[in-house]
Amino acid sequence: MQHRMRATVRNAVVRTRRVLRSGAVRFGGLPHSEGTVDSPPPEVAHDITGLWLRNMRSRASVVDVAGTVDVSMTTHGRRVADVWLAIESIARGTARPRRLILWLDGPQRRLPWRLRRLQRRGLEILRAESGLGVHTKYWPYVTTQPLDVPLVLADDDIVYPPTWLELLHTRDADTGHRYLVAYRAHEIAMISPAAFAPYMQWPPCSSSAPSYRHFPTAVSGLLLPPALLRFVYEAGTAFLSTSPTNDDLWLHACAVRAGIPVVQVTEHQQHWYFIPLSQTQGLNAVNVFGGANDRQMAAAHDELTRGRIWRSIEEAPEEDARS
């Protein structure tokens, strides 16, 4: 009898939670999805609900004036409505940035109220010139801001864990501020000193050693040291012709050319959960399955950078031993 009563109570609680969640999704702007590639597991859905409530209630600053890194991201289109979730997940972190900047392009419209609340808590929302595409997250920064601290690049469709910024900063400090730091990288494969293997054949990075052969992806977060920021500025807007749809590729090419290897935070890739319903459109199909990555990789590199990557591949066992 007691077992049946407990089961009845549990079922009632589950039904109540479903009704409340449905109302929050429909009328309160709570991001949620089921049965899609970006559907979160229960623990992440619970975290998202907590961030949703935090965004409505919190008055805590999203930045730390004593911070030693800046964070930059960009968004566009329908993602403007949900980018607050990525920003709020960064703001609740164990370390907060000195500045947290969201770049917008396109027509100027009234901001969603959740972004306006974040503005009052220290988020900077700045307008960028149009036509930069994915490069908007860093190019307006390097051309208008002092390049005196590392810049961390964040994507607008990720729920970042609380230690995200702290571990990036710690890895940067531990390695002497000399590398491009990534949570997620691939190991570049080459078929000769002059030619790269297709992008889809590159294996996941399984080393925390610095290397030119490591190809970083910004989806989980990148930290660019000031020396690289200054080099990117000097390189100008060549990315518009060589790698218009892939900022990761251009930043990696700049790093190799500048003599700045890539280091992964841990030996294995880390990838965080997507914001629900954020993956209905994106560049992945064009860049990866459409072959755009391969074409842009060939265009962005020259004899110097291909040679450095090739030698790094040949020296891979020695590099891994030093990690």
Side-chain angles (χ1 to χ4, degrees):
M1 182 69 176
Q2 290 182 345
H3 176 74
R4 287 198 299 271
M5 290 180 61
R6 285 196 294 269
T8 300
V9 170
R10 282 197 301 270
N11 291 336
V13 169
V14 170
R15 287 195 297 271
T16 300
R17 286 178 175 172
R18 286 177 178 171
V19 170
L20 292 174
R21 180 180 296 279
S22 177
V25 171
R26 185 173 181 181
F27 303 109
L30 174 66
H32 183 70
S33 64
E34 295 182 8
T36 62
V37 67
D38 49 21
S39 297
E43 65 274 13
V44 177
H46 179 74
D47 186 35
I48 290 173
T49 300
L51 292 169
W52 177 73
L53 293 171
R54 175 188 171 94
N55 183 258
M56 290 191 290
R57 300 170 179 173
S58 178
R59 296 182 179 179
S61 176
V62 303
V63 294
D64 180 358
V65 293
T68 55
V69 299
D70 292 346
V71 171
S72 176
M73 72 168 62
T74 186
T75 194
H76 67 284
R78 67 168 300 277
R79 287 188 176 181
V80 173
D82 290 335
V83 68
W84 65 266
L85 181 51
I87 296 167
E88 195 71 68
S89 69
I90 295 171
R92 58 85 183 266
T94 54
R96 287 171 294 148
R98 183 187 69 166
R99 298 174 66 192
L100 181 50
I101 305 172
L102 175 66
W103 298 93
L104 301 177
D105 62 7
Q108 186 165 350
R109 300 171 182 169
R110 181 172 172 80
L111 295 172
W113 68 270
R114 290 183 181 276
L115 282 181
R116 298 199 302 273
R117 288 206 82 247
L118 285 165
Q119 261 188 314
R120 292 194 290 271
R121 292 164 54 197
L123 172 69
E124 299 177 53
I125 301 179
L126 303 178
R127 294 285 169 177
E129 61 179 295
S130 61
L132 295 172
V134 293
H135 300 273
T136 304
K137 72 176 67 168
Y138 72 88
W139 183 247
Y141 181 95
V142 302
T143 54
T144 63
Q145 307 300 317
L147 306 181
D148 55 348
V149 299
L151 178 65
V152 173
L153 303 184
D155 272 13
D156 64 347
D157 55 357
I158 297 292
V159 182
Y160 293 98
T163 59
W164 173 75
L165 187 60
E166 179 185 2
L167 295 181
L168 269 176
H169 179 262
T170 299
R171 184 65 169 143
D172 173 56
D174 288 346
T175 53
H177 315 289
R178 294 176 295 156
Y179 306 123
L180 191 167
V181 183
Y183 269 111
R184 182 176 182 269
H186 297 294
E187 294 182 357
I188 296 173
M190 298 184 72
I191 55 180
S192 75
F196 298 104
Y199 179 85
M200 292 187 66
Q201 296 179 12
W202 299 358
C205 181
S206 57
S207 168
S208 58
S211 178
Y212 295 124
R213 84 185 194 278
H214 294 166
F215 181 86
T217 61
V219 64
S220 296
L222 299 181
L223 182 146
L224 282 57
L228 178 55
L229 296 174
R230 291 188 287 268
F231 189 93
V232 168
Y233 171 74
E234 294 295 334
T237 58
F239 56 79
L240 292 174
S241 58
T242 61
S243 50
T245 65
N246 194 318
D247 52 320
D248 300 338
L249 191 154
W250 176 250
L251 291 172
H252 173 257
C254 285
V256 176
R257 193 168 286 113
I260 299 174
V262 174
V263 64
Q264 198 165 250
V265 175
T266 62
E267 288 186 354
H268 302 290
Q269 289 183 344
Q270 296 187 61
H271 195 304
W272 323 121
Y273 287 98
F274 289 115
I275 292 175
L277 298 179
S278 65
Q279 302 305 297
T280 56
Q281 54 183 312
L283 290 171
N284 190 61
V286 174
N287 283 341
V288 179
F289 301 106
N293 276 348
D294 297 328
R295 293 188 294 273
Q296 293 176 93
M297 192 75 178
H301 286 274
D302 56 20
E303 184 178 358
L304 170 67
T305 56
R306 287 192 296 268
R308 285 179 172 171
I309 295 170
W310 177 261
R311 288 190 295 273
S312 187
I313 292 172
E314 291 186 315
E315 298 166 359
E318 181 181 343
E319 290 176 350
D320 293 344
R322 294 196 298 264
S323 65

